[in-house]
Amino acid sequence: MLSTGLSLFSLPRAPILCSPLHPTETPPKSHPFSQFSSTPTKKMAATTPIAITTSFGLKNLMETFTVDVQRAENRPLNVPLIAPFTISSSRLERVENVAIRIELRNGCVGWGEAPILPFVTVEDQSTAMSKAAEACEFLKRSPAMTMGLLLAEIDGILPGHEFASIPIVSPAEAAELAAKYYNQGFNTLKLKVGKNLKADIEVLQAIRGAHPECLFILDANEGYKPTEAIEVLEKLHEMGVTPVLFEQPVHRDDWEGLGHVNRIAKNKYGVSVAADESCRSLVDVKKIVRGNLADVVNIKLAKVGVVGALEIIEIARASGLHLMIGGMVETRLAMGFAGHLAAGLGCFKFVDLDTPLLLSEDPVLEGYEVSGAVYKFTNARGHGGFLHWDNIA
C-alpha cells in the first residue's frame, strides 16, 4: 500500500505474530519449524498462486503444543509516515501502533504488532496499550497450557480488529505516483475510491494517462451505495477500463447490496468483487459462500488472527472462493509474518502487503527483503524480523 491512495500489487484477532528467536534476538540461519520451501530462498511475485497440497494439521497443533510464557510486555511502536494517511473516516499523521514481545521459558521469542487506525480499529494507542498490557499480564501469570486454550483466553481479552485502508489523493499526485511505480515494475495499482464519485473518476483518468498499461484494483472501503458502485463500473466501462477487482463496494452490513453489486459486476462487466470489511469472521465467510455475495475474501491477520485465517482458507478452498491477503498501516514486523503465510501456503490470488512503504523509517531488523515488485524470504527462524526493544517508542 502507498500513502498516496495507490497500492502496489507485486505478484490476528490475537496480534501476536510469533518469530522464534534466541534470547539474543540474532536470527540464526535456519529453523526446522519455519521452512516454507526446500530451497534457500523463496520469492513471491504477482499473480502466481500455488496450489496447497498438504493439510495445515491445525487441530493437532492446538491440542498438543504447550505454551509456557516467561516474559510478556508491550511498548508503543511509533514510526513517522512519508505523508498523512487519509481515508473517508479518519486521517493518520504518524503510525502509533503497539509492539508486543513474548518470551517462552525455552528461550524462544515472539514478536507482535497491533495496528491502530482511528474509527477503524481501536480509537487510540493508549487504549490498545492498556488491552495489550492486560493480555501480557494474563500470559505472565498463567501456567503452561495448550495453544488452543491460551488463544481462547486471549480472545476474551483482546477486541477484534476490522480492516485497513490507504489514503485518497488528488489526480495530480496519483498520476505522479503511477509513473513512479510504473518505472519500478509494478503493473497493477490499487486505488482508494468511495468518498467522491466524480473525484474518483478523475483520479482514474489521471493514472491511466500516466501509466496506460496499468491494471486497476478499486477499494471503496464501504464508501458507495449499490447504485453508485454500479455507476463507477459503468463509467470505467465507457473509458475502456475493466478493474481486476472491486473491493468492498458497499457498507459491510449491506449484504443484499453486496450480492447485488457482485452479480452485476460479474455478469455485465466481468469484474470480481472482494469482501474485506464484510469478512470479519468465519461466520461472515460462510454467509458470503451461501449467498454467493463475493468472489474474493480479503484476509488480514490483525482482523481475523492466524488461526482465523487458516480456518477461512479451508472454507475458501472448499467453496471456490479466491483469496486476497492484506494489511493495515503496519511495519515489516506484521507484514513479514503475513508474507511468510502467503508465500508458504501459496493460495492467495491477490497479495497486498506493502504497508511498510507508507513509513519514512524502518524500525524492523532482518526479515524479508524487497526488490521492486518481489519480496524475498530467507531461511531464518520464524519470519526473521525483530525489534531492538529498548530503541522503539
Side-chain angles (χ1 to χ4, degrees), residues 196-278:
N196 182 294
L197 180 58
K198 182 175 182 293
D200 292 340
I201 297 300
E202 290 174 351
V203 167
L204 283 159
Q205 290 172 329
I207 294 173
R208 196 62 185 268
H211 190 347
E213 303 302 319
C214 78
L215 301 175
F216 288 109
I217 289 177
L218 305 183
D219 187 0
N221 281 115
E222 312 178 78
Y224 292 132
K225 295 177 181 177
T227 53
E228 293 173 325
I230 293 169
E231 184 179 352
V232 168
L233 292 173
E234 177 61 31
K235 294 287 187 183
L236 291 178
H237 181 71
E238 293 172 0
M239 292 167 54
V241 175
T242 301
V244 175
L245 192 67
F246 196 0
E247 190 177 349
Q248 199 60 49
V250 299
H251 191 275
R252 63 192 181 195
D253 295 323
D254 186 0
W255 298 103
E256 182 179 351
L258 180 64
H260 176 65
V261 173
N262 182 51
R263 288 189 294 274
I264 298 295
K266 181 165 51 178
N267 297 333
K268 186 173 182 179
Y269 300 107
V271 176
S272 293
V273 168
D276 180 1
E277 289 86 337
S278 292

Side-chain angles (χ1 to χ4, degrees), residues 2-4 80-86 91-94 167 169 173 357-360:
L2 305 177
S3 61
T4 59
L81 286 164
I82 294 173
F85 178 93
T86 304
R91 176 184 174 92
L92 198 65
E93 299 290 343
R94 60 186 275 113
V169 295
E173 291 173 298
L357 295 179
L358 290 164
L359 310 178
S360 62

Side-chain angles (χ1 to χ4, degrees), residues 92 96-98 114-131 161:
L92 198 65
E96 295 180 334
N97 291 347
V98 175
I116 292 138
L117 188 59
F119 305 107
V120 177
T121 60
V122 293
E123 290 301 312
D124 53 45
Q125 190 180 51
S126 62
T127 302
M129 285 287 291
S130 176
K131 296 303 294 184
H161 300 303

Side-chain angles (χ1 to χ4, degrees), residues 307-359:
V307 174
L310 294 177
E311 291 173 337
I312 289 171
I313 289 168
E314 291 283 17
I315 292 291
R317 292 174 64 200
S319 64
L321 271 179
H322 292 299
L323 288 166
M324 177 179 188
I325 190 164
M328 301 191 183
V329 188
E330 296 148 305
T331 70
R332 288 195 307 113
L333 189 65
M335 290 298 92
F337 188 95
H340 270 279
L341 182 72
L345 297 182
C347 55
F348 291 91
K349 184 174 182 179
F350 304 98
V351 177
D352 185 16
L353 298 177
D354 46 2
T355 60
L357 295 179
L358 290 164
L359 310 178

Side-chain angles (χ1 to χ4, degrees), residues 42 48-54 56 313 317 342-348:
K42 187 176 183 74
T48 53
I50 304 168
I52 300 175
T53 57
T54 59
F56 300 130
I313 289 168
R317 292 174 64 200
L345 297 182
C347 55
F348 291 91

Side-chain angles (χ1 to χ4, degrees), residues 12 14-19 77 97-100 111-116 300-303 306 325-342 352-356 359 362-364 367-368 375 377 383 385-387:
I16 298 172
L17 312 180
C18 290
S19 172
L77 180 56
N97 291 347
V98 175
I100 300 171
W111 293 99
E113 179 177 359
I116 292 138
K300 292 172 180 170
L301 296 181
K303 178 173 62 173
V306 177
I325 190 164
M328 301 191 183
V329 188
E330 296 148 305
T331 70
R332 288 195 307 113
L333 189 65
M335 290 298 92
F337 188 95
H340 270 279
L341 182 72
D352 185 16
L353 298 177
D354 46 2
T355 60
L359 310 178
D362 182 6
V364 181
Y368 65 88
Y375 285 12
F377 299 96
H383 58 73
F386 63 98
L387 300 169

